[in-house]
Amino acid sequence: MLGLMQGWPLLCQRVVDHAATFHGGRKVITRSVEGPIVETTYAEIRTRALKVAQRLEKDGIKLGDRVATLAWNTWRHLESWYGIMGIGAIYHTVNPRLFPEQIVWIVNHAEDRMMFVDLTFVPLVEKIADKLTSIERYVILTDGAHMPQTSLRNAIAYEDWIAEVDGDFAWKEFDENTAAGMCYTSGTTGHPKGVLYSHRSNVLHSMIAAMPDAMAASSRDVILPVVPMFHANCWGLALTAPMVGASLVMPGPKMDGASIYELLETYKVTFTAAVPTIWLMLLQDLEKTGQKLPHLDRVVIGGSACPRAMTKTFQDVYGVRVIHAWGMTEMSPLGSLCTLKPEYAQLTGDARLDIEMKQGHAPFGVEMKITDDNDKDLPWDGKTFGRLKVRGPAVAKSYYKGEGNEAFDEEGWFDTGDVATMDEYGYMQITDRSKDVIKSGGEWISSIDLENLAVGHPKVAEAAVIGVTHPKWDERPLLVIVLKKGETATKEDILGFMKGKCAKWWMPDDVAFVDEIPHTATGKILKTRLRTQFKDYVLPMQAAE
Amino acid sequence: MLGLMQGWPLLCQRVVDHAATFHGGRKVITRSVEGPIVETTYAEIRTRALKVAQRLEKDGIKLGDRVATLAWNTWRHLESWYGIMGIGAIYHTVNPRLFPEQIVWIVNHAEDRMMFVDLTFVPLVEKIADKLTSIERYVILTDGAHMPQTSLRNAIAYEDWIAEVDGDFAWKEFDENTAAGMCYTSGTTGHPKGVLYSHRSNVLHSMIAAMPDAMAASSRDVILPVVPMFHANCWGLALTAPMVGASLVMPGPKMDGASIYELLETYKVTFTAAVPTIWLMLLQDLEKTGQKLPHLDRVVIGGSACPRAMTKTFQDVYGVRVIHAWGMTEMSPLGSLCTLKPEYAQLTGDARLDIEMKQGHAPFGVEMKITDDNDKDLPWDGKTFGRLKVRGPAVAKSYYKGEGNEAFDEEGWFDTGDVATMDEYGYMQITDRSKDVIKSGGEWISSIDLENLAVGHPKVAEAAVIGVTHPKWDERPLLVIVLKKGETATKEDILGFMKGKCAKWWMPDDVAFVDEIPHTATGKILKTRLRTQFKDYVLPMQAAE
Ligand SMILES: Nc1ncnc2c1ncn2[C@@H]1O[C@H](COP(=O)(O)O)[C@@H](O)[C@H]1O
């Protein structure tokens, strides 16, 4: 028997409707690409998003069509998401930091029909435009006064474009499983893979994200998403903020420490989110200037592991609570957040930091397990590590056009490619990527644990550990080091420092000093390239016998 | 185009799965019907709920079958909900405070196949059992040692009953729109009407309830739901608490001030919820004993309007935040909560209390409008009042078997039967029931406003205002008064006190002093009966000319 409750589909446009109705005057403040600060409200955002929707229809965009955006976090980018989704078309966020060939590949694979482009990226797009054959029109996210001379097909300034309609328009209604957004994830091997979010998954994900043990977002928050809208669905914030009626502060193109500080301070931001690199810049800047963060209550840090010193500094020096989080483009992206359950809530000092170094626990709506290579469940003891697998309503079930689908099993579990421990209270800690874990004599060694150890050495700027073929143990760890500018150190210095801090058989067999470690476009260490570089490396034979 | 996200149905059993996995050791503490305090955990609750499910199947209960519960808030009642839902059967909470004939009518209308009964209610059920023809078996919520001698059909003690299975069982999977629960709402006219919650509506409602601007429930909370599970779906708490991993403290049959205080104090409860009557008892008790509430952070008060003095006392004397809430059985039940948006967050003293007297704003997932009798939208100015209509994924679309469906219009709006104002920030305030509003010369007079005024008089114990036929104005207000024990007062005393505190044309035309005002089973003033009582009342002719 079915219940007799309303069939109210979970559509993303209802989020901006709610914001405009119940939080209509709440501010959305942007550092615009043109330079000045621009203030608007959720009521205006909705009005203009309706114009975007109406104007898209006039250009022939319809349900299921993909519309690319190559843009910073601004109010116009936000409006365009809601306008696109509101007619059942799909926002496709393209990461401008990708190599131009990758952008070409992605846009062609998605068959985007239109592209919204920030002024910053017009020159970039002009260079590849002749290869972007599916794009019928470029909308430049600016007004007539700032519109550049450009060769881009049917280019028009956004403000002029939406001025051509009157806004007398209603959102379309459709199934909540309709695709809403698209984001490609560039693995370290093969082509990028497209994740296709639905309206339902976006709405559920935002509800999950707002919960008290996740981001605890409320209408009294002023949220600064430094994490770009083109990175993993903006960690959900472009939907979560209007859903709860929180004010938004959008950084536009400026993400250096001083610029971010200025926004945090001027607009009394209470909550912000970004990858560690951003916070490194901010903290360095604060140290220089001696400025404080009196309004900021909490910061979500994810995308890669948050260094212990960073958490400590935020909390002890600035009184800002750090929420370590883990997620993936395939998960919309939130998977876990490290907020404190009662079992850990009383901890202080180092014991507390130990917990805060974990990536956290899954909220309702994310199922987790760790398994061995044979899919056998492993114990939640905080020590045993295995492949981390997840399921949930905001987790992908396959990639666009089906490439890479071996990551999904028949029971719906998605193999994240991460290797993790789970502790007795359900706190997950990433120990490695499954491709990077070093398999020595049938046992696993975590490359990340070793890297974290190595960067603790005062002379080390960056460290990477990879597995190198070994006649007896299959693989043994090689530590690759970039020293801080002007420093010198020997292999013995480094290994001596690490000794006793990890299992003896985990100790790297050798240390290689390099000038630079290769990175992906999103700032992660490109281990595939490192492995190619060191593929013929011969380890000293005395080690690990 | 559809998104490519997982089809993870929103099933209630996933809530207890999550609680058992990520908050398995968190305590559920009950003052049992037998007397002693019983402690268990979410992990055990899940294990035993699985046994309930397995045992129900053995008794032939299947998807769509209704299983009645006539029970207090206890861990066994909680387990039984999850057990029932986990095979797609439907928990049907019966309010033991209804008249026996109403219970008979409801159980027969629902065609319940089984009934879970607390020891307290066995005598009550024995008296009506011969009329409950659909019930095949009674499970008495106790153990063998406490099992009474009873004539009830196939009666068995709950603990013995579940001991007959081994718990090696898996939840059933089904559509998320499958019915999960049922609750009858007894209006003031006609038969009770059945609301049929779905798994989807229950899960979405719990997510909405947990949000920071609603109940802000977290794993660090210890929640005492005084509101019974048989009243309006326990305000969602039986699902919200396990969803967020909050500890639960269940009051069992004892809801007097001293018993509630003891639980609040002993278990360091942080959050509790009930109707004003309960809190009146608690506050009276505290005043007598001089005890304080050091652990309690917030209390949700709803079901009827929270008196200003109650909010003030909780906040000023005990430092407990009051969240005034409004809802209905038809809404799962939450409709609005009075948490403070930034526009009001800075208010203090009386200005703040003015806002806190409102029933609050709707979270995402509840749409609201106020209209006149012709369904025309009325302005959100905080003054104009009209019929309050709502829509949302946890709002009913019709009643069980279709009776009373004129409350739902073609666009899905449900006419709540309440009359309310909306202010510019979306705060709703109930001014009346639409049946009770007094229509004087085409304009509306709020009976509740007048009642609130009248009870402000120091000699008045209770007040009700009804419309009485008037030759010129259609209807005019009559004020019905119960004086405090031992007090005397004249019509002029009362009206003189009210004068100048409301519009002149709102002033009651007359005052009738009575010994008692009739109430419904849930404690609301039974205005239909009052109206019958005063239907031939002749108003003095000089008034309101
Ligand atoms: N906070 C409140 N203030 C005034 N009336 C309320 C409040 N909460 C609930 N009600 C009334 O209770 C009705 C729902 O009753 P029930 O379905 O039994 O919970 C609503 O339609 C309102 O008339």
Side-chain angles (χ1 to χ4, degrees):
Chain A
M1 186 185 314
L2 298 187
L4 291 171
M5 306 307 279
Q6 300 194 1
W8 198 87
L10 303 175
L11 298 176
C12 295
Q13 54 267 40
R14 294 182 185 269
V15 172
V16 78
D17 284 352
H18 175 77
T21 308
F22 282 95
H23 307 274
R26 201 87 70 254
K27 285 194 178 147
V28 175
I29 298 165
T30 305
R31 186 193 299 282
S32 68
V33 178
E34 295 88 348
I37 297 287
V38 175
E39 296 201 7
T40 178
T41 63
Y42 282 126
E44 291 177 53
I45 295 267
R46 177 177 181 272
T47 302
R48 284 162 52 94
L50 276 166
K51 287 192 173 191
V52 171
Q54 186 180 18
R55 190 63 190 80
L56 281 168
E57 268 214 334
K58 214 174 140 184
D59 268 345
I61 301 296
K62 40 183 207 326
L63 190 123
D65 285 343
R66 275 78 66 208
V67 176
T69 68
L70 201 69
W72 302 111
N73 291 7
T74 70
W75 85 103
R76 287 191 184 116
H77 196 178
L78 190 68
E79 289 165 6
S80 72
W81 273 28
Y82 284 99
I84 293 165
M85 292 191 285
I87 56 168
I90 301 161
Y91 64 85
H92 168 205
T93 50
V94 180
N95 185 341
R97 292 175 190 147
L98 293 175
F99 302 112
E101 317 86 79
Q102 282 180 303
I103 296 182
V104 170
W105 189 92
I106 284 175
V107 170
N108 285 329
H109 190 263
E111 301 168 80
D112 298 321
R113 290 190 57 195
M114 253 168 107
M115 187 182 271
F116 289 74
V117 188
D118 258 338
L119 283 172
T120 327
F121 307 119
V122 170
L124 161 70
V125 179
E126 282 173 340
K127 280 196 204 102
I128 56 176
D130 60 330
K131 296 191 195 113
L132 306 180
T133 48
S134 61
I135 306 277
E136 298 160 29
R137 151 160 268 175
Y138 293 87
V139 177
I140 314 303
L141 291 161
T142 190
D143 54 19
H146 293 84
M147 184 66 184
Q149 225 18 46
T150 175
S151 60
L152 291 175
R153 198 171 307 131
N154 290 319
I156 184 168
Y158 175 85
E159 296 294 341
D160 294 343
W161 181 69
I162 60 171
E164 289 171 17
V165 290
D166 59 8
D168 182 13
F169 191 76
W171 305 123
K172 299 284 178 243
E173 284 265 342
F174 35 76
D175 189 298
E176 68 185 25
N177 292 304
T178 302
M182 191 177 210
C183 187
Y184 279 76
T185 169
S186 40
T188 41
T189 54
H191 280 304
K193 293 180 288 264
V195 177
L196 203 57
Y197 306 117
S198 68
H199 281 261
R200 173 183 166 102
S201 67
N202 265 352
V203 170
L204 289 175
H205 180 268
S206 302
M207 294 175 81
I208 292 167
M211 306 269 272
D213 277 311
M215 293 179 172
S218 86
S219 67
R220 290 166 304 288
D221 274 316
V222 179
I223 304 182
L224 172 60
V226 186
V227 51
M229 293 171 73
F230 57 73
H231 179 214
N233 216 18
C234 198
W235 297 2
L237 290 170
L239 282 125
T240 301
M243 175 178 280
V244 303
S247 196
L248 269 177
V249 179
M250 301 293 241
K254 293 213 172 157
M255 285 180 283
D256 59 285
S259 300
I260 294 300
Y261 171 77
E262 189 185 286
L263 295 181
L264 292 174
E265 180 59 23
T266 312
Y267 301 105
K268 300 189 164 53
V269 170
T270 59
F271 167 37
T272 179
V275 295
T277 326
I278 295 286
W279 304 126
L280 213 59
M281 294 194 296
L282 177 74
L283 291 177
Q284 280 170 354
D285 196 70
L286 292 180
E287 210 182 347
K288 251 188 276 159
T289 60
Q291 284 151 334
K292 298 286 170 218
L293 299 168
H295 311 295
L296 194 61
D297 174 61
R298 61 207 188 282
V299 52
V300 172
I301 305 185
S304 59
C306 180
R308 192 175 182 103
M310 183 173 284
T311 301
K312 202 170 150 61
T313 306
F314 262 121
Q315 300 193 152
D316 296 356
V317 180
Y318 298 101
V320 175
R321 187 157 56 96
V322 170
I323 304 176
H324 194 189
W326 167 84
M328 296 181 76
T329 303
E330 288 89 336
M331 300 182 73
S332 300
L334 291 180
S336 66
L337 296 106
C338 197
T339 50
L340 295 185
K341 298 187 187 182
E343 290 88 350
Y344 289 145
Q346 308 310 326
L347 295 178
T348 55
D350 270 331
R352 187 185 183 103
L353 271 175
D354 285 347
I355 303 307
E356 290 171 332
M357 284 305 93
K358 300 187 184 230
Q359 274 77 5
H361 53 96
F364 174 79
V366 177
E367 290 182 90
M368 279 185 178
K369 65 175 181 180
I370 49 173
T371 74
D372 66 14
D373 277 340
N374 303 316
D375 201 29
K376 207 174 72 69
D377 268 29
L378 294 173
W380 289 25
D381 58 11
K383 286 181 200 125
T384 312
F385 50 85
R387 294 174 172 277
L388 178 63
K389 298 178 181 173
V390 296
R391 254 187 342 198
V395 177
K397 69 175 175 199
S398 67
Y399 293 111
Y400 189 55
K401 298 185 179 171
E403 290 108 351
N405 279 351
E406 54 282 357
F408 304 92
D409 74 16
E410 325 79 69
E411 286 179 321
W413 291 99
F414 166 61
D415 187 336
T416 63
D418 283 321
V419 170
T421 60
M422 298 289 310
D423 77 13
E424 56 175 328
Y425 302 122
Y427 281 69
M428 183 273 286
Q429 185 158 23
I430 301 283
T431 55
D432 221 329
R433 293 284 303 162
S434 56
K435 283 185 192 125
D436 299 336
V437 88
I438 294 143
K439 296 184 181 169
S440 169
E443 301 282 345
W444 290 10
I445 296 173
S446 159
S447 65
I448 293 182
D449 275 8
L450 293 176
E451 286 158 10
N452 287 342
L453 256 185
V455 293
H457 190 290
K459 293 184 173 176
V460 171
E462 195 172 14
V465 173
I466 54 170
V468 173
T469 322
H470 187 282
K472 178 163 172 194
W473 303 106
D474 278 342
E475 273 186 0
R476 286 297 303 162
L478 168 69
L479 172 59
V480 184
I481 292 277
V482 180
L483 290 173
K484 286 188 182 157
K485 234 183 238 145
E487 299 286 359
T488 54
T490 64
K491 165 178 162 176
E492 288 70 27
D493 285 346
I494 307 288
L495 293 182
F497 171 82
M498 294 171 71
K499 213 168 168 176
K501 296 178 180 138
C502 67
K504 218 172 144 200
W505 62 276
W506 279 36
M507 283 291 286
D509 283 25
D510 206 0
V511 182
F513 294 91
V514 297
D515 289 340
E516 205 184 356
I517 287 177
H519 290 98
T520 66
T522 54
K524 291 173 187 160
I525 295 177
L526 197 57
K527 293 216 174 159
T528 40
R529 193 160 315 159
L530 264 191
R531 276 192 286 263
T532 324
Q533 200 173 323
F534 287 97
K535 111 172 133 7
D536 301 321
Y537 196 82
V538 181
L539 293 168
M541 281 316 291
Q542 76 284 8
E545 288 302 317
Chain B
M1 189 186 311
L2 297 186
L4 291 171
M5 307 307 279
Q6 300 193 0
W8 199 87
L10 304 176
L11 298 177
C12 295
Q13 54 268 39
R14 292 181 187 270
V15 172
V16 78
D17 284 350
H18 175 77
T21 309
F22 282 97
H23 307 274
R26 201 86 71 255
K27 286 197 178 142
V28 175
I29 297 165
T30 305
R31 186 194 298 282
S32 68
V33 178
E34 295 87 349
I37 297 287
V38 175
E39 295 201 8
T40 179
T41 63
Y42 282 125
E44 292 178 52
I45 294 267
R46 177 176 181 274
T47 303
R48 285 161 53 92
L50 276 165
K51 288 193 171 191
V52 172
Q54 188 180 17
R55 190 63 190 81
L56 282 168
E57 270 214 334
K58 212 173 140 186
D59 268 344
I61 301 295
K62 38 179 211 326
L63 190 123
D65 285 343
R66 275 78 65 208
V67 176
T69 68
L70 201 68
W72 302 112
N73 292 7
T74 70
W75 85 104
R76 290 194 184 112
H77 195 177
L78 189 69
E79 289 166 6
S80 72
W81 274 28
Y82 283 99
I84 294 166
M85 291 191 288
I87 57 167
I90 301 161
Y91 64 86
H92 168 205
T93 51
V94 181
N95 185 341
R97 292 177 188 144
L98 293 174
F99 302 112
E101 317 85 78
Q102 282 182 305
I103 296 182
V104 170
W105 189 92
I106 283 174
V107 170
N108 286 328
H109 190 262
E111 301 167 77
D112 298 322
R113 289 190 58 195
M114 252 169 109
M115 188 183 272
F116 290 75
V117 188
D118 258 338
L119 283 172
T120 327
F121 307 120
V122 170
L124 161 70
V125 178
E126 283 173 339
K127 281 197 203 99
I128 55 174
D130 60 330
K131 297 192 194 113
L132 305 179
T133 49
S134 61
I135 306 278
E136 299 161 29
R137 151 160 266 176
Y138 293 86
V139 177
I140 315 301
L141 292 162
T142 190
D143 52 21
H146 293 85
M147 183 67 182
Q149 220 22 42
T150 175
S151 60
L152 291 175
R153 196 172 308 132
N154 290 320
I156 185 167
Y158 175 86
E159 296 295 340
D160 293 344
W161 180 69
I162 61 172
E164 291 172 18
V165 291
D166 59 7
D168 182 13
F169 191 76
W171 306 123
K172 299 283 177 244
E173 284 263 344
F174 34 77
D175 188 299
E176 67 184 25
N177 291 303
T178 301
M182 191 177 210
C183 188
Y184 280 76
T185 169
S186 40
T188 41
T189 55
H191 280 304
K193 292 179 291 259
V195 178
L196 203 58
Y197 307 116
S198 68
H199 281 261
R200 172 182 165 103
S201 68
N202 265 352
V203 171
L204 289 175
H205 181 268
S206 303
M207 295 174 81
I208 292 169
M211 306 268 273
D213 277 311
M215 293 179 172
S218 87
S219 67
R220 289 165 306 288
D221 275 315
V222 180
I223 304 184
L224 172 60
V226 187
V227 53
M229 291 170 75
F230 56 74
H231 180 213
N233 215 17
C234 200
W235 297 2
L237 290 169
L239 283 125
T240 302
M243 176 179 279
V244 302
S247 196
L248 268 177
V249 179
M250 300 294 238
K254 294 213 172 159
M255 285 179 281
D256 60 285
S259 301
I260 294 300
Y261 171 78
E262 190 185 285
L263 295 180
L264 292 174
E265 181 59 21
T266 312
Y267 301 105
K268 298 191 167 52
V269 170
T270 60
F271 167 38
T272 178
V275 296
T277 326
I278 296 286
W279 303 125
L280 213 58
M281 295 193 296
L282 177 74
L283 292 177
Q284 280 169 358
D285 196 70
L286 292 180
E287 211 183 344
K288 252 189 272 158
T289 61
Q291 284 151 333
K292 299 285 170 220
L293 299 168
H295 311 294
L296 194 61
D297 175 59
R298 61 205 189 282
V299 50
V300 172
I301 304 185
S304 57
C306 179
R308 191 176 183 105
M310 183 172 283
T311 302
K312 201 170 150 60
T313 307
F314 262 121
Q315 300 192 154
D316 294 357
V317 180
Y318 299 101
V320 175
R321 189 156 57 95
V322 169
I323 304 177
H324 194 190
W326 167 84
M328 298 183 75
T329 304
E330 289 89 335
M331 301 181 72
S332 300
L334 291 180
S336 65
L337 296 107
C338 197
T339 50
L340 296 184
K341 299 186 187 182
E343 291 88 347
Y344 288 143
Q346 306 311 323
L347 295 178
T348 55
D350 271 329
R352 187 183 182 106
L353 271 175
D354 285 346
I355 302 308
E356 290 172 332
M357 284 304 94
K358 300 187 186 229
Q359 274 76 5
H361 53 95
F364 174 78
V366 177
E367 291 182 89
M368 278 186 179
K369 65 175 181 179
I370 47 172
T371 73
D372 64 15
D373 277 339
N374 303 316
D375 201 29
K376 205 174 76 63
D377 269 28
L378 293 173
W380 289 24
D381 57 12
K383 287 184 199 121
T384 312
F385 51 85
R387 292 172 174 278
L388 178 63
K389 297 178 180 171
V390 296
R391 260 192 330 205
V395 177
K397 70 175 176 201
S398 65
Y399 292 111
Y400 188 54
K401 299 187 179 169
E403 291 107 353
N405 277 351
E406 54 284 354
F408 305 92
D409 74 15
E410 324 80 69
E411 285 178 323
W413 290 98
F414 167 60
D415 187 336
T416 63
D418 285 320
V419 171
T421 60
M422 298 289 310
D423 77 13
E424 58 176 324
Y425 302 121
Y427 281 68
M428 183 273 285
Q429 186 158 23
I430 302 281
T431 56
D432 221 329
R433 295 285 301 163
S434 56
K435 281 183 193 130
D436 300 336
V437 88
I438 293 141
K439 296 184 180 168
S440 169
E443 301 282 346
W444 288 10
I445 296 173
S446 157
S447 65
I448 293 182
D449 275 9
L450 293 176
E451 288 158 8
N452 287 342
L453 255 184
V455 293
H457 189 291
K459 294 185 175 175
V460 172
E462 195 172 15
V465 173
I466 54 169
V468 172
T469 322
H470 187 282
K472 181 165 171 191
W473 304 106
D474 277 343
E475 273 186 359
R476 288 295 303 161
L478 168 69
L479 173 58
V480 183
I481 292 278
V482 180
L483 289 174
K484 286 189 182 156
K485 235 183 238 151
E487 298 285 1
T488 54
T490 63
K491 164 178 162 176
E492 287 71 28
D493 285 348
I494 308 289
L495 293 182
F497 171 81
M498 295 172 70
K499 213 167 164 176
K501 294 177 182 138
C502 67
K504 216 171 145 201
W505 62 276
W506 279 37
M507 283 292 285
D509 282 25
D510 207 358
V511 181
F513 294 92
V514 296
D515 288 340
E516 206 184 353
I517 285 176
H519 291 99
T520 65
T522 53
K524 290 172 188 163
I525 295 178
L526 198 56
K527 293 215 175 162
T528 40
R529 194 160 316 159
L530 263 192
R531 274 191 288 264
T532 324
Q533 199 173 323
F534 287 96
K535 109 174 134 5
D536 301 322
Y537 198 82
V538 181
L539 293 166
M541 281 316 290
Q542 76 284 8
E545 289 298 316

